[in-house]
């Protein structure tokens, strides 16, 4: 942890790194260190990979105690896996006019109307849920919406349920079976609403982050 903090301080002093406002790299690294100490699999990872995780998470301005990222062991090497909350934090840092990013699942029987915008996003015209639809798992899709604090109109990214399940196939949890169905009892089955929201929010953040030139960091 001390090595990571020294390296980060060196980056900042040399003006090679701008840490986000109200972000304490020291506290974030300490909390990460405590997480690592409680995980036998992470303790078995190389010191070099754990050091890289500490530096990478600080450069991104993320805090593990806020569930903004996870540390995943791949063999004997640890890597940062950014959660949807972390992606929202990065997106808001890239574009300070973003007030919030929200998501909703869409189910069969709900009134859902939208129109496409010229920028590749969509405008949600209407989404009316019912108590009956909220109590079912008959999904047809989901969407994430960016809300702005400067008067700009919200914009949304809509995903069909098939597209959402395709993204789930890449999950290390393997929640999709060979027939393309969600495995019964999996997290994606038990908490499908939440997982759809997380997937849609991650997708809309990806578009913001991938277009960034890292000016907010370096």
């Amino acid at each position: 942890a001390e090595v990571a903090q020294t390296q980060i301080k060196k980056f900042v002093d040399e003006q090679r790194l701008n840490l986000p406002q109200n972000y304490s790299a020291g506290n974030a690294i300490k909390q990460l260190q405590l997480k690592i100490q409680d995980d036998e699999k992470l303790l078995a990872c190389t010191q070099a990979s754990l050091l890289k995780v500490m530096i990478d998470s600080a450069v991104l301005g993320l805090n593990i105690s806020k569930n903004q990222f996870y540390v995943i062991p791949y063999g004997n090497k640890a890597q940062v896996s950014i959660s949807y909350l972390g992606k929202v934090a990065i997106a808001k840092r890239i574009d300070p006019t973003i007030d919030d990013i929200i998501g909703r699942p869409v189910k069969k029987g709900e009134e859902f109307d939208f129109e496409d915008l010229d920028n590749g996003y969509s405008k949600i015209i209407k989404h009316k849920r019912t108590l009956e639809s909220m109590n079912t798992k008959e999904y047809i899709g989901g969407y994430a919406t960016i809300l702005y604090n400067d008067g700009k109109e919200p914009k949304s990214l809509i995903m069909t349920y098939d597209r959402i399940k395709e993204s789930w196939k890449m999950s290390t949890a393997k929640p999709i079976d060979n027939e393309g169905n969600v495995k019964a009892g999996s997290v994606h089955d038990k908490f499908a609403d939440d997982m759809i929201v997380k997937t849609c929010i991650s997708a809309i953040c990806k578009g913001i982050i991938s277009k960034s030139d890292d000016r907010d960091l370096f």
Side-chain angles (χ1 to χ4, degrees), residues 26-104:
N27 288 341
I29 290 173
K30 185 62 178 179
Q31 289 164 339
L32 174 55
Q33 184 183 28
L34 293 174
K35 287 278 187 180
I36 293 172
Q37 289 175 345
D38 288 336
D39 192 313
E40 292 183 1
K41 291 182 178 180
L42 292 179
L43 286 173
C45 292
T46 65
Q47 291 297 307
S49 68
L50 292 173
L51 175 61
K52 187 175 186 301
V53 162
M54 291 181 179
I55 294 175
D56 286 350
S57 62
V59 167
L60 291 168
L62 301 180
N63 193 315
I64 200 166
S65 68
K66 296 180 180 180
N67 297 321
Q68 293 177 337
F69 73 97
Y70 308 100
V71 184
I72 310 296
Y74 291 94
N76 67 342
K77 293 184 178 180
Q79 293 183 19
V80 171
S81 177
I82 305 174
S83 71
Y84 86 101
L85 291 173
K87 291 172 184 176
V88 170
I90 295 171
K92 293 173 74 171
R93 196 173 303 136
I94 291 170
D95 184 354
T97 68
I98 294 176
D99 182 59
D100 200 5
I101 301 178
I102 61 172
R104 294 283 187 276

Side-chain angles (χ1 to χ4, degrees), residues 95 114-124 144-146 148 152-158 163 203-204 206-208 210-211:
D95 184 354
F114 66 93
E115 64 180 31
D116 290 329
L117 303 175
D118 294 336
N119 54 13
Y121 293 93
S122 301
K123 177 180 180 180
I124 306 300
T145 301
I146 300 175
Y148 293 95
K152 287 197 295 285
E153 286 293 319
K155 61 183 182 183
S156 303
L157 176 68
I158 301 171
R163 183 182 170 192
I204 203 169
K206 182 180 179 180
I208 299 168
S210 64
K211 294 176 182 177

Side-chain angles (χ1 to χ4, degrees), residues 126-208:
K126 184 178 185 180
H127 182 200
K128 184 177 181 181
R129 301 186 295 173
T130 66
L131 287 175
E132 182 179 0
S133 70
M134 292 169 65
N135 201 38
T136 71
K137 289 189 175 182
E138 297 183 85
Y139 299 99
I140 59 174
Y143 62 93
T145 301
I146 300 175
L147 305 175
Y148 293 95
N149 55 31
D150 65 348
K152 287 197 295 285
E153 286 293 319
K155 61 183 182 183
S156 303
L157 176 68
I158 301 171
M159 300 178 70
T160 65
Y161 191 41
D162 284 342
R163 183 182 170 192
I164 290 169
K165 288 192 293 183
E166 281 296 316
S167 72
W168 289 353
K169 286 182 180 180
M170 296 182 286
S171 169
T172 55
K174 304 296 182 185
I176 307 297
D177 63 22
N178 294 332
E179 285 72 43
N181 300 313
V182 180
K183 294 178 182 177
S186 66
V187 172
H188 292 68
D189 173 46
K190 292 180 179 179
F191 305 101
D193 279 31
D194 293 338
M195 299 309 294
I196 288 172
V197 168
K198 291 178 181 180
T199 300
C200 293
I201 289 178
S202 292
I204 203 169
C205 288
K206 182 180 179 180
I208 299 168

